[in-house]
C-alpha cells in the first residue's frame, strides 16, 4: 500500500514565551509564499528536509538544523524530500531576544541578529526541541522555562552576530537560600523560573545559573528531588501512590513513577513493600 502524506499544523502560545507564537507542524504539500515576520522565526527540523529562499540564496535545512530567519526578512518554504518535513518552530519577539541577550551579558545589548542561512548544530537544535516539547505539554513550567532560557542562550552565545559575553557569577548564598525556601513552598503548585527569579531580584537566566552553580543542579531538578524526598515520607505513612503524586505536585502517577524510579531505582509501589 502506498503511503500518503498530508499537512498537519498547530499554532499555539505559552505564557512562558510572551508575545510569541509556537508551531508544531508536519508539511508535505505546503508551499509558503514570500513573507516576513515582525519577530524572529526559529524552526528546528525534526524529520525530512525543508528548502527555502532567503536573502537571495536557496537554503536547505535537514534534521538537526535550525532554519533561523531574522525579523523583517522575506523568505519562502517548501519540502525538499518526497516525504515532506516536520519542525518545531518558535517565533520570539525582538524584545524577548534582546532582553535575553542583555541578561546574558549583564548590560544592554542590541538586537541579536542571527547568521544568514541554515544553522547546522545538532546540539543547539536538540536543546531547543526539548524546550519546545516541554512548553507544549505545560506539565512543569519551571523545567520548561529553564530549558527555553538555556536553549536560546546557547543559540545566541554561538551564533548571534554580536555575541553576548556571558557575565561571571558571583557567590550569593543569601539569594540561593531564598530560592531554596521558595522552591520548598507549595510543592503541589506550579512555578515558573521568572517567578522564582523575581523573588530574588535577578533575571531568569542569571538566577538559573547561580542556583545550578551553587547547588549542582538546576532549580526544577532540585525541586523535583525535594518532592521525591517528601514522597518517601508519605509512602512510609501508607498513603496511596496516586494521592502522593497529587500531593507532591507531579502531573500524574506515571510522571511520579518515572521520576521516583530514576532517582531511587525502584517504582514507589515496590519501594514501600
Amino acid at each position: 500500500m502506498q503511503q500518503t502524506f498530508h499537512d498537519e499544523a498547530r499554532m499555539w502560545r505559552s505564557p512562558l514565551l510572551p508575545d510569541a507564537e509556537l508551531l508544531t507542524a508536519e508539511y508535505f504539500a505546503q508551499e509558503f509564499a514570500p513573507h516576513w515576520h515582525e519577530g524572529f522565526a526559529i524552526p528546528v527540523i525534526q524529520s525530512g528536509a525543508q528548502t527555502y529562499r532567503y536573502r537571495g540564496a536557496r537554503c536547505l535545512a535537514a534534521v538537526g538544523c535550525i532554519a533561523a530567519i531574522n525579523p523583517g526578512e522575506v523568505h519562502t518554504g517548501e519540502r525538499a524530500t518526497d516525504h515532506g518535513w516536520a519542525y518545531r518552530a518558535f517565533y520570539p519577539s525582538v524584545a524577548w531576544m534582546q532582553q535575553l541577550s542583555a541578561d546574558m551579558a549583564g548590560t544592554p545589548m542590541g538586537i541579536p541578529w542571527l547568521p544568514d542561512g541554515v544553522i547546522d548544530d545538532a546540539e543547539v537544535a536538540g536543546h531547543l526541541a526539548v524546550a519546545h516539547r516541554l512548553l507544549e505539554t505545560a506539565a512543569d513550567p519551571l523545567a520548561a522555562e529553564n530549558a527555553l532560557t538555556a536553549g536560546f542562550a546557547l543559540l545566541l552565545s554561538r551564533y548571534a552576530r554580536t555575541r553576548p559575553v556571558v557575565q561571571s557569577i558571583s557567590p550569593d548564598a543569601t539569594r540561593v537560600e531564598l530560592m531554596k525556601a521558595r522552591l520548598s513552598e507549595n510543592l503541589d503548585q506550579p512555578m515558573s523560573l521568572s517567578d522564582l527569579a523575581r523573588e530574588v531580584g535577578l533575571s531568569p537566566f542569571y538566577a538559573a545559573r547561580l542556583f545550578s552553580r551553587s547547588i549542582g543542579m538546576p532549580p526544577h531538578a532540585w525541586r523535583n528531588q525535594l518532592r521525591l524526598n517528601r514522597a518517601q515520607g508519605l509512602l512510609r505513612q501508607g498513603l496511596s501512590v496516586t494521592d502522593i503524586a497529587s500531593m507532591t505536585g507531579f502531573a500524574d502517577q506515571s510522571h511520579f513513577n518515572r521520576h521516583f524510579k530514576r532517582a531511587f531505582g525502584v517504582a514507589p509501589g515496590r519501594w514501600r513493600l
Side-chain angles (χ1 to χ4, degrees):
M1 180 182 297
Q2 184 176 3
Q3 185 176 2
T4 59
F5 301 96
H6 62 280
D7 292 354
E8 184 174 344
R10 186 173 82 90
M11 186 74 76
W12 47 282
R13 294 178 176 85
S14 168
L16 301 178
L17 186 61
D19 302 320
E21 287 74 42
L22 298 103
L23 175 66
T24 306
E26 296 181 16
Y27 288 129
F28 175 71
Q30 176 70 30
E31 294 183 4
F32 288 99
H35 66 288
W36 56 276
H37 305 278
E38 290 187 346
F40 288 83
I42 314 290
V44 181
I45 309 300
Q46 302 292 283
S47 65
Q50 176 194 17
T51 183
Y52 59 101
R53 185 163 292 281
Y54 178 50
R55 293 189 59 81
R58 175 66 68 177
C59 302
L60 176 66
V63 176
C65 292
I66 303 163
I69 306 292
N70 285 312
E73 294 288 355
V74 176
H75 58 287
T76 62
E78 60 188 290
R79 73 175 187 263
T81 72
D82 292 338
H83 308 307
W85 82 102
Y87 60 31
R88 291 180 171 273
F90 302 83
Y91 298 92
S93 67
V94 171
W96 188 87
M97 293 282 278
Q98 192 168 358
Q99 184 60 58
L100 176 57
S101 183
D103 290 344
M104 294 169 65
T107 188
M109 296 286 291
I111 298 173
W113 302 103
L114 295 170
D116 298 334
V118 176
I119 296 174
D120 186 358
D121 189 323
E123 182 183 8
V124 176
H127 281 285
L128 292 177
V130 167
H132 199 280
R133 291 188 185 94
L134 289 172
L135 290 171
E136 190 170 25
T137 60
D140 186 343
L142 190 59
E145 190 175 6
N146 186 80
L148 173 71
T149 303
F152 270 90
L154 185 61
L155 174 69
L156 296 184
S157 68
R158 289 187 181 180
Y159 296 104
R161 292 179 190 169
T162 303
R163 298 176 190 175
V165 177
V166 179
Q167 63 180 315
S168 59
I169 299 175
S170 300
D172 194 332
T174 299
R175 278 194 167 99
V176 171
E177 288 304 312
L178 286 172
M179 283 192 279
K180 288 171 67 176
R182 182 66 182 87
L183 289 166
S184 302
E185 298 172 357
N186 303 318
L187 293 179
D188 60 334
Q189 298 299 315
M191 178 190 302
S192 71
L193 180 60
S194 291
D195 289 339
L196 179 65
R198 196 176 299 116
E199 292 276 346
V200 294
L202 298 173
S203 72
F205 174 77
Y206 192 95
R209 291 181 68 234
L210 172 63
F211 193 94
S212 298
R213 181 71 62 86
S214 302
I215 302 300
M217 61 174 62
H220 70 276
W222 188 87
R223 194 180 199 218
N224 273 345
Q225 186 60 52
L226 179 61
R227 285 170 164 157
L228 294 172
N229 293 347
R230 297 275 176 87
Q232 286 181 316
L234 296 172
L235 285 168
R236 294 187 188 102
Q237 296 174 30
L239 277 69
S240 74
V241 172
T242 301
D243 288 343
I244 293 171
S246 177
M247 292 169 64
T248 51
F250 288 95
D252 50 42
Q253 185 175 333
S254 64
H255 185 225
F256 172 47
N257 288 347
R258 184 168 63 254
H259 280 277
F260 194 96
K261 186 174 182 180
R262 186 182 301 164
F264 303 123
V266 294
R270 296 191 58 83
W271 184 89
R272 181 170 52 188
L273 296 177

